[in-house]
Amino acid sequence: MSRAQPALSIIVFAYNEAENIAPVLGELHQWLCMHEPDAELVIVDDGSRDDTLQHARQALVSARAKFLRHEQNRGIGAALKTGVRACEAPWVTFLPADGQIEPDAIATLRAAASGDDVDVVFSTYVAREDGAHRKLLSFGVRALIWCVHGVRMRSDGPYLFRRELFIPEQLKPDTFFLNFEFPIRVLSAGRRARNVEIACRPRRAGSSKSTGWKRIAGVGRDLIDLRLRRLREGW
């Protein structure tokens, strides 16, 4: 007997998160059982060199979950695209495997999309201690997006979106830049968007793999490249 289509898909992407993945997924699964019992989990191991995927499988033995793996580390954008291709629900969101975003954030996103008047819900962090340099960089990136693409974008954390809007074949980046390109595409198309605030807590263990000056310095180049692609594609 086939199972009913899930109402929500949650992608959890991970890279070398063996220390974090089991407790993070355990907390998430428990929360979903109470608040989103019709949800599915899609776990994407982005080429981990440790036992991340094994720990993930053990943590979700009884859960409605899919497990996918890249043989090499390809980046957050690639992990999201792989995850979305496997999603069955009409609504999709994602979480990192480091434990920084607590499951209650899903409820905040879902509440903002409870009517039929929104296509995507973006999130920003409330009271996150990033330091002055990170705040300045974030402001600079947003200013660049406005100058180059004419879009006012406020999106720091996970977002919730209609599955039909996310077309992996249209999205070139395999890097973190996908989390700029997809919102730019959605907002440029005039899709209905809403913003919410969510909490961000410290990582459970280990250090971030997605920060650093090299990645941030590449955002400007990627924004220009996207502008050129927009001109070629006519959108």
Side-chain angles (χ1 to χ4, degrees):
M1 184 176 178
S2 60
R3 300 180 70 175
Q5 183 189 48
L8 173 69
S9 296
I10 303 109
I11 301 166
V12 179
F13 52 83
Y15 173 59
N16 290 345
E17 295 285 2
E19 290 182 275
N20 293 321
I21 193 75
V24 167
L25 291 181
E27 178 189 35
L28 177 58
H29 181 219
Q30 184 177 26
W31 187 92
L32 291 174
C33 288
M34 295 177 61
H35 302 282
E36 291 277 0
D38 295 326
E40 70 168 350
L41 283 166
V42 178
I43 314 303
V44 183
D45 180 352
D46 188 26
S48 295
R49 297 187 300 272
D50 59 14
D51 295 329
T52 292
L53 189 59
Q54 179 182 344
H55 289 304
R57 290 184 185 276
Q58 292 171 348
L60 296 175
V61 170
S62 61
R64 182 172 185 167
K66 298 174 182 175
F67 300 90
L68 307 169
R69 173 175 166 77
H70 294 160
E71 291 305 314
Q72 296 180 331
N73 179 242
R74 293 167 53 191
I76 290 174
L80 286 176
K81 285 186 280 187
T82 294
V84 170
R85 287 188 179 100
C87 290
E88 297 180 36
W91 286 96
V92 178
T93 190
F94 59 89
L95 295 173
D98 56 17
Q100 286 193 283
I101 310 301
E102 53 191 282
D104 277 343
I106 297 172
T108 303
L109 293 168
R110 292 280 274 168
S114 59
D116 196 35
D117 61 343
V118 66
D119 298 308
V120 60
V121 180
F122 297 111
S123 70
T124 54
Y125 298 130
V126 57
R128 184 181 183 184
E129 295 299 326
D130 279 334
H133 70 291
R134 288 288 301 274
K135 291 179 181 178
L136 181 62
L137 287 168
S138 179
F139 174 81
V141 168
R142 289 175 181 173
L144 272 173
I145 291 172
W146 167 246
C147 291
V148 177
H149 293 279
V151 168
R152 296 193 184 278
M153 191 184 97
R154 295 182 65 242
S155 178
D156 296 328
Y159 43 87
L160 174 73
F161 55 92
R162 294 185 187 271
R163 168 65 180 83
E164 65 201 55
L165 298 180
F166 193 106
I167 304 173
E169 292 72 26
Q170 283 185 349
L171 298 164
K172 177 182 175 181
D174 282 346
T175 63
F176 184 86
F177 186 73
L178 184 140
N179 280 326
F180 293 112
E181 178 165 330
F182 177 69
I184 289 171
R185 284 182 176 270
V186 169
L187 296 171
S188 297
R191 291 291 184 170
R192 301 164 298 179
R194 192 165 291 159
N195 284 83
V196 297
E197 289 189 334
I198 63 172
C200 182
R201 58 192 180 187
R203 286 178 59 92
R204 292 193 75 265
S207 58
S208 173
K209 291 93 172 173
S210 61
T211 58
W213 290 99
K214 184 178 180 180
R215 192 200 75 183
I216 295 168
V219 169
R221 295 191 299 272
D222 288 333
L223 286 170
I224 298 298
D225 176 70
L226 176 58
R227 185 65 208 177
L228 295 174
R229 286 191 282 124
R230 288 186 63 181
L231 291 173
R232 291 195 297 269
E233 296 170 11
W235 63 278

